[in-house]
Amino acid sequence: MATAIAGVTVTRAGVAPATLTTGTADLALADNDGNVLVEVQNGSGGNLTVTFVTTSSVAGIALEDVTVVVPGGQTRWVGPLPPAIFNQADDSVSVQAVGLNLRALRL
């Protein structure tokens, strides 16, 4: 079973950030409605890659997964993730992020 990426929904009253989720080869961003940004932090000294797995195709040709290289000691924000391209049957997005830390921000 995939580890869920912690997330928080932003409100006008303000919210505290979600706790960081430690990256693994099997993560899930639950209930993706296309209005989600993912913060990806790299605490290591080298470049690491996060992969967002696509689930759709065009004219029978599978779309490539989206990969983002996060340089050592830096943070990247990724999104939005259109459901028609990324969602699995349970409306989650499969994410692979070994060695990275992640959290989601829902708008």
Side-chain angles (χ1 to χ4, degrees):
M1 179 175 201
T3 301
I5 298 172
V8 62
T9 300
V10 177
T11 68
R12 282 183 281 286
V15 294
T19 302
L20 287 166
T21 300
T22 302
T24 68
D26 188 19
L27 293 170
L29 176 62
D31 301 322
N32 178 43
D33 64 0
N35 293 313
V36 179
L37 297 176
V38 180
E39 178 183 0
V40 186
Q41 296 182 0
N42 181 353
S44 79
N47 294 347
L48 294 173
T49 302
V50 58
T51 301
F52 296 86
V53 179
T54 61
T55 59
S56 61
S57 61
V58 175
I61 302 169
L63 297 176
E64 287 189 29
D65 295 341
V66 172
T67 59
V68 177
V69 175
V70 183
Q74 295 190 25
T75 298
R76 294 290 183 266
W77 285 93
V78 183
L81 303 168
I85 296 172
F86 292 95
N87 281 19
Q88 300 180 89
D90 65 356
D91 288 334
S92 71
V93 176
S94 177
V95 182
Q96 301 162 355
V98 175
L100 295 164
N101 293 305
L102 303 92
R103 65 178 146 211
L105 180 69
R106 299 179 188 285
L107 303 176

